[in-house]
């Protein structure tokens, strides 16, 4: 999985928060779940919690990890009934933007 880099200007303020080696070098590499499954969980949680700043990156990673647009769309539709329609609409709008940018 490609590492997401936090803005470098935050390193002086919070160096451990900016260090993503534990997350992307350990947690994402554990054998218990595939990268595809981890992406599905991550996108779902980010959408449910309305973490729209982190969501575009992880939607892109989810596509790279083998989730289809249809699967992501279905997950977000399902999520609307448990986490709220506004959260799902924000996430699906971001998915649309990413697929448009990538010409998928």
């Amino acid at each position: 999985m490609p590492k997401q880099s936090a803005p470098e200007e935050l390193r002086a303020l919070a160096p451990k928060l900016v260090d993503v080696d534990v997350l992307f070098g350990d947690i994402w590499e554990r054998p218990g779940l595939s990268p595809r499954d981890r992406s599905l969980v991550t996108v779902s949680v980010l959408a449910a919690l309305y973490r729209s700043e982190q969501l575009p990156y992880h939607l892109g990673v989810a596509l790279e990890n083998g989730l289809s647009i249809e699967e992501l769309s279905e997950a977000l539709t399902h999520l609307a009934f448990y986490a709220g329609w506004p959260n799902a609409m924000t996430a699906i709008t971001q998915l649309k933007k990413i697929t448009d940018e990538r010409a998928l």
Side-chain angles (χ1 to χ4, degrees):
M1 168 174 178
K3 288 185 181 180
Q4 180 179 17
S5 59
E8 197 56 39
E9 62 269 12
L10 297 179
R11 187 171 299 285
L13 183 61
K16 281 298 190 185
L17 183 61
V18 175
D19 184 1
V20 295
D21 288 337
V22 171
L23 175 60
F24 294 114
D26 181 25
I27 300 300
W28 272 85
E29 299 300 322
R30 294 171 56 86
L33 290 173
S34 69
R36 179 192 179 284
D37 291 345
R38 289 185 190 282
S39 282
L40 183 58
V41 170
T42 301
V43 164
S44 297
V45 169
L46 291 173
L49 295 175
Y50 204 74
R51 301 303 193 251
S52 56
E53 189 173 308
Q54 297 293 316
L55 191 55
Y57 170 79
H58 283 285
L59 284 167
V61 170
L63 292 167
E64 293 165 12
N65 281 339
L67 283 157
S68 69
I69 296 165
E70 294 78 16
E71 289 170 322
L72 288 167
S73 174
E74 187 62 32
L76 295 172
T77 300
H78 185 76
L79 179 133
F81 293 92
Y82 293 93
W85 190 84
N87 292 11
M89 286 302 294
T90 296
I92 203 73
T93 300
Q94 291 181 346
L95 178 59
K96 172 78 168 106
K97 183 178 177 186
I98 289 167
T99 59
D100 287 350
E101 289 171 355
R102 294 182 179 198
L104 298 175

